[in-house]
Amino acid sequence: MTGTAAPFAADDYRARMERATRSAAEAGLAGLLVAPGPDLVWLTGYAPTAVTERLTLLVLAPGQDPVLVVPTLEAPDAGKAAGASALTLRDWTDGKDPYAATAALLDAGGRFGISDNAWAMHLLGLQKTLPGTSYASLTEALPMLRAVKDTAELELLAAAGAAADATFEEIRNVPFGGRRESEVAADLAGLLRRFGHSQVDFTIVASGPNGANPHHEVGDRVIERGDMVVLDFGGLKDGYGSDTSRTVHVGEPTDEERRVHDLVRAAQEAGFRAVRPGVPCQEVDRAARAVIADAGYGEYFIHRTGHGIGVTTHEPPYMIEGEEQPLVPGMCFSVEPGVYLPGRFGVRIEDIVTVAEEGGRRLNDTTREMVIVD
């Protein structure tokens, strides 16, 4: 996670911390412990310039003000965070025990939610100091903590989506044939940055048989005429994520390639049409998957239909069989079915979708028809 450019004020962060504390209490937790990472940025606006072995931990517990335990040498930077005035800083100096300082803020017999990216050494240090405590990962304890976005967050996600769309409109005009996947991936990264991304998380360029691997690592394969090419790219703009996929073809496609592309496009549309408040997440997956299965390609759709997006490009909720969490207005997630034919080619089409009162609203709007490139 880099930067905290999102335009939020101390009151926004105060409201988020209060909501998180209430949610923790409702979940039967004694509080939340939040280490540096996306949860800390979302709750406080603070992202340390470097995450080291020194303990930094936000403590949220019912009946007490939020406290950020922070190394003394990093306290000045923490004090400049947008949400700093909504919490108390408690610093500790080298040579002192940070776990003892933190333990004074905790219920010695409580169960706490702790952010997934907390270092094991810190969790073990707390357990050693307070052996009566127990812990649950934040994703397990409060999976929907960041899932419902407010109006300002939705605007930032829409802007990130528009930047990704502008990137696709440019990349479709560059030469593909005769160039390496890595060269086109570099073009994608440059365009994302040109259109305002501060962080590029991934630029998948999967040509020909490589397209049958959904998370293909870009390599030096030379893209050939006749290749189907899966493009999947995104990152962070002003602190919020983009993620879109389109599948292009170098020269004229075969009838089968057109048929598979049309099938994935129909499945993506079916997944999008299933989005409305109150519908379980798994119904989005079912709707998209049924289209592909009914056409005889079910075994070649090998991943979930979607994932949430916000201050990270992958987060809850997940559009997958077994996820019964109802959709709520303000949730944002991908709808990205695909078909992957081993040794031959793959097709994926992906939009970010937000739940509105009347149904789904796409945050990506480039054509989902097959695009022919040179």
Side-chain angles (χ1 to χ4, degrees), residues 30-76:
L32 301 180
L33 307 177
V34 185
D39 292 314
L40 187 64
V41 171
W42 185 77
L43 286 164
T44 70
Y46 178 49
T49 54
V51 179
T52 72
E53 74 285 355
R54 294 184 174 95
L55 177 72
T56 294
L57 202 66
L58 174 67
V59 178
L60 300 177
Q64 67 184 49
D65 292 336
V67 177
L68 183 63
V69 178
V70 62
T72 299
L73 75 170
E74 295 174 16

Side-chain angles (χ1 to χ4, degrees), residues 1 10 28 47 87 99 103 115 135 143 184-185 187 193 197 252 255 285 290 315 349 371:
M1 184 77 193
L87 51 78
Y99 309 115
S115 51
Y135 302 87
V184 177
D187 289 343
R193 291 191 176 95
H197 281 63
E252 286 299 316
D255 289 346
D285 182 84
E315 62 185 46
I349 300 172
V371 170

Side-chain angles (χ1 to χ4, degrees), residues 157 161 241-244 268 272 307-309 313 332-336 350-354 361-364:
L157 284 161
S242 69
D243 185 1
T244 189
Q268 207 270 347
F272 169 70
H307 58 82
I309 190 169
T313 49
C332 290
F333 48 84
S334 65
V335 178
E336 51 176 308
E350 173 186 15
D351 294 326
I352 299 302
V353 174
T354 184
R361 178 169 66 90
R362 298 183 194 269
L363 301 188
N364 296 106

Side-chain angles (χ1 to χ4, degrees), residues 287-298:
R289 199 169 298 277
V291 173
I292 292 173
D294 289 350
Y297 287 87

Side-chain angles (χ1 to χ4, degrees), residues 8 16 19 42 143-158 239-241 307-317 328-333 352-355 361 363:
F8 299 111
R16 290 177 183 178
R19 176 154 61 93
W42 185 77
M144 296 298 119
L145 179 63
R146 305 194 319 255
V148 178
K149 276 63 180 180
D150 61 26
T151 300
E153 290 181 295
L154 291 174
E155 290 174 355
L156 289 165
L157 284 161
Y240 280 74
H307 58 82
I309 190 169
V311 294
T312 57
T313 49
H314 279 219
E315 62 185 46
V328 176
M331 284 182 173
C332 290
F333 48 84
I352 299 302
V353 174
T354 184
V355 184
R361 178 169 66 90
L363 301 188

Side-chain angles (χ1 to χ4, degrees), residues 36-239:
D39 292 314
L40 187 64
V41 171
W42 185 77
L43 286 164
T44 70
Y46 178 49
T49 54
V51 179
T52 72
E53 74 285 355
R54 294 184 174 95
L55 177 72
T56 294
L57 202 66
L58 174 67
V59 178
L60 300 177
Q64 67 184 49
D65 292 336
V67 177
L68 183 63
V69 178
V70 62
T72 299
L73 75 170
E74 295 174 16
D77 287 338
K80 296 175 185 175
S85 63
L87 51 78
T88 298
L89 289 179
R90 177 170 294 187
D91 65 314
W92 62 275
T93 57
D94 284 351
K96 301 295 185 181
D97 183 352
Y99 309 115
T102 307
L105 304 169
L106 306 183
D107 176 351
R111 180 169 177 80
F112 295 87
I114 188 165
S115 51
D116 296 10
N117 53 342
W119 286 20
M121 65 180 286
H122 297 320
L123 177 56
L124 293 170
L126 288 171
Q127 287 180 316
K128 183 177 180 180
T129 303
L130 291 176
T133 55
S134 60
Y135 302 87
S137 74
L138 209 52
T139 294
E140 174 191 343
L142 295 176
M144 296 298 119
L145 179 63
R146 305 194 319 255
V148 178
K149 276 63 180 180
D150 61 26
T151 300
E153 290 181 295
L154 291 174
E155 290 174 355
L156 289 165
L157 284 161
D165 283 357
T167 295
F168 178 72
E169 295 295 355
E170 291 284 332
I171 202 70
R172 63 185 289 183
N173 295 316
V174 309
F176 277 71
R179 301 179 70 210
R180 298 183 188 277
E181 291 176 344
S182 56
E183 294 175 310
V184 177
D187 289 343
L188 280 171
L191 288 166
L192 284 169
R193 291 191 176 95
R194 188 211 297 178
F195 291 115
H197 281 63
S198 60
Q199 179 174 314
V200 176
D201 286 346
F202 46 89
T203 53
I204 294 173
V205 179
S207 62
N210 289 342
N213 177 1
H215 281 176
H216 169 64
E217 291 285 342
V218 167
D220 289 331
R221 182 183 187 275
V222 175
I223 301 169
E224 301 174 356
R225 189 164 188 82
D227 278 349
M228 195 85 90
V229 185
V230 178
L231 305 174
D232 184 353
F233 50 94
L236 298 181
K237 179 182 185 296
D238 294 332

